[in-house]
Amino acid sequence: MSSDPITSVFNDGYIAEVYESYRRDPASVDESWRQFFRFAESLGGVVQAGTPAAAHAGALDAALLRKVAGAASLTDSIRAYGHLAAEIDPLGNTPAGTPELTIEFHGLTEEDLKLIPGAALGSDEPTAADVVARLRSLYSSNIGFEFDHLGEADERGWLREQIESGRVQRELTADEKKAVLRRLTEVDGLERFIGRVYQGFKRFSIEGTDMMVPMLDAAIECAAGFGAREVGIAMAHRGRINVLAHILQKPYKRIFGEFEGRHASTTAAESETGDVKYHLGFTTIRKVGDKEVTVSLVPNPSHLEFANPVLQGVARARQTLIAADKDRDEASVVPVCIHGDAAFPGEGVVAETFNMSRLRGYRVGGTLHIIANNQVGFTTDRTDARSTHYASDLAKGFEVPIVHVNAEDANACIRVMQLGVEYRAKFAKDFLVDLVGYRRHGHNETDEPAFTQPAMYTQIRSHPTPREVWGQRLSDEGLVTADEVKALDAEIASEFERIQSSASPTDGEKNGPGQAVKPTDSAEAREKPRADQLVALNEQLLVWPQTLNPNSRLAKTLKRRRDAVGEAGGIDWGHAEALAFASLLVEGTSIRISGQDVERGTFSHRQAVLHDAETGETYAPLQHLPDARGRFEIYNSPLSETAVLGFEYGFSTATRNALVLWEAQFGDFVNVAQPIIDQFIVSDRAKWGQDSSIVLLLPHGYEGQGPEHSSARLERFLQSAAENNMYVAYPSTPAQYFHVLRRQVSEKKRRPLVLMQPKSLLRLPEAASRLGDLVDGGFMTVIDDAAVESSRDQVKRLVFCTGKIYYDIIAKRTPHIAVVRVEQLYPWPSDEVERIVDLYPSVEEVVWAQEEPKNMGAWTYIAPRLRVSTGNAMIVRYVGRPERASPAEGYSSAHKIEQERIVSDVVTPMETAGGTRRRSAVTTQ
Ligand SMILES: Cc1ncc(C[n+]2csc(CCOP(=O)(O)OP(=O)(O)O)c2C)c(N)n1
């Protein structure tokens, strides 16, 4: 605090000493001291009249100085700590307060304050006592402000100016006040109506934080004034039905229809199993004056707070699409995240999302946050829910201004929301409102809250509703009569009755599963690139400004790509990817890729961003292709999987003609993002009719790097695969990777693509592709064994495998074996597998070989399918690691032994292996 240097050394002798230094050279003392002495000197007249001191003579009275300094530090304290005395709790709990807010703490009395003129504190008020009273009314009223933690002085100055000018607390007009009363009556009325008519149903009522709705109304209106064309909202269950009805304009009769069990009919070929009503999204267009604002609520899983990064990604995509000719238009789309007071400090994804908020790859020009603070989390008290004073304290570390507001003061709630919108528009940063209310019922309406929070609920039961409080205030102000307040309530209640009784039995069925974000751009039919086009693109990728000198070793490696598209061949993974990207960019597809260290690539394989060896200046050839019609964006992500993947998923849902990729550092780390996979990526279509075409690049493969750098947990993706919800593939060549990336943007049906990616294979000469492989054909779901093409009838053992182990096996192959690669695991390419099986008339045994343990990898998924695809005629023999608790060996020597054993089991001739068509310990049907 700026007052510290003064208050902590409150010592007359010391002050006198500092003053001497100040007189000799003002710059030699701290700014707070300079300010203090300026105050004191401005008191010259008063000093001379009322004290023995003679300021202008340079002999200031130390006792007086102490009092002026005390007054200044008291005002500083009120600005910084006034929130601790603010009346923000509608249940009337006494604010914590702090000694710094008392006059005595600063060595003063009330009388002292009255003696000091306001001018000494830079104010027009007559005395310091008036200044203090005014500041208390601004900083310790129904609003508590916290912005001392902001790093930027101009932001602090602006906020102070907004508050101290009285702008933030200015009164709403009479009409605005009455409009809020109507809104609150609708909000409260809807809850009471549903509570009465649909008893026993969960609705996660808003009651107690009703003000959220007029605040969102205000945010949308105010945002429109600052150029917003869209407002996107992410929120959890609490109050969602009310927000759907009143902010998203979802018709009441649809909502009632859902309570009556009428829901979306299945329209897609794949079933849509739907979601509970308080998770659904919705989109509407609201008129704001002569403007239109599209307001969307993104669908939300139960998993609290995980929708936040998803909304950020959606907002970024929309800001990019709307911007057209410039990079992005941050004013055009305003994201709003509504949090729970228990979930906000508890779920790490909140911190991850804040951390992304100002990064170039993820920023959206600021998000408005509201904590719907009902002071309890299910049955958990705040003392068990967080280690901090406020639910909002986490946001402080990210330099977000925080405003606590009493959820019963509509004036305050609306004004702070408007302040947030203005702050965002001015500083392009996040802003947080901690809306302090209560929860009228249990966690849901069938819970008994008195079991666990008896005292709180004794209070709540006798507490008037926010509508009643506001109605009373307006009638006290003479704006309405008590009878009018009652009449409005009755009018709205009868409207609900009328709508409900006139609802037709099919109303709910019109209600789609709530896709909130409809991609507006569309996929184009595209032709395959020709060889000459790829060669030309390859050349363009090898060009950088003459002034840029990349690391010489790197430059040499990249130049090899010139030969690789020629006769010599040798296109590796990174090269194939660059060519796939380049070809898509010239076709008009934008590309966005992020993940940890993706610019270089964890394994140095991508090198998409070149750095000058001396200056560090960067250049990305993919951003400078002369004929590119799409944008290429690549960002090293922060060290996060959950929020970053959530962001990229959200981005992908909101843009159709783009290839959006997320790469894990190692595939194992994907499990940190499991909720984004389970709750969004694999189930979004089934729950919400929403789709994405995100690509997950997950390095996978057993190379002796230990339990956490081997497995991308292929088995988990295969277990989640159903109803064509995604593609799961494990390409074994750069050309296959090239083709599957291109296929991803030309498919009509958008689906996520999960790719097991190589590590050592990235540059393996045996795996390399030739230009012809990229130009001819497309992605092959299964690759037959070309080595036995002319002797298929001699093959006795048909080995199926996927990915890297193929190369280990063929290095040791023995006669009479064919090795077939399953490149796409899901959807299972049964026709292709059957076709290939039929090519081998003499097969006596089918083997599935994998390097993962038996309880992992593809085996349990493959076994029944391979058996069917081989006509149920054969036993499918498993060869791989046995069941294991940990995915891979920690010692590379142990890895080597195991890997060699697997390969040996696969290739050892049958006579030696002893007739494996019969079941054995390692055989499964
Ligand atoms: C990740 C996650 N963990 C646990 C839950 C179960 N749960 C649902 S609501 C809730 C309490 C949330 O409290 P708070 O954030 O204060 O929101 P409120 O319900 O009070 O509005 C819990 C624990 C959940 N939905 N998501």
Side-chain angles (χ1 to χ4, degrees), residues 89-91 93 341 373-377 380 382 436-438 456:
D89 182 0
L91 298 180
N93 290 314
D341 55 299
N373 187 346
N374 54 26
Q375 310 195 52
V376 61
T380 301
R382 51 169 280 187
V436 185
Y438 56 87
M456 188 185 206

Side-chain angles (χ1 to χ4, degrees), residues 433-503:
V433 178
D434 178 19
L435 176 67
V436 185
Y438 56 87
R439 188 186 70 192
R440 180 153 296 278
H441 310 284
H443 172 61
N444 66 63
E445 294 63 36
T446 58
D447 276 338
E448 174 48 72
F451 288 162
T452 50
Q453 272 73 29
M456 188 185 206
Y457 276 84
T458 305
Q459 245 182 316
I460 290 173
R461 264 187 229 107
S462 59
H463 197 80
T465 65
R467 174 191 69 86
E468 288 166 338
V469 172
W470 188 242
Q472 183 63 48
R473 177 160 156 185
L474 297 203
S475 83
D476 291 348
E477 289 177 10
L479 287 174
V480 291
T481 63
D483 283 346
E484 282 168 343
V485 174
K486 270 197 203 135
L488 183 62
D489 189 33
E491 173 202 321
I492 287 171
S494 73
E495 183 63 5
F496 290 132
E497 296 283 357
R498 190 191 61 73
I499 292 169
Q500 196 245 355
S501 58
S502 68

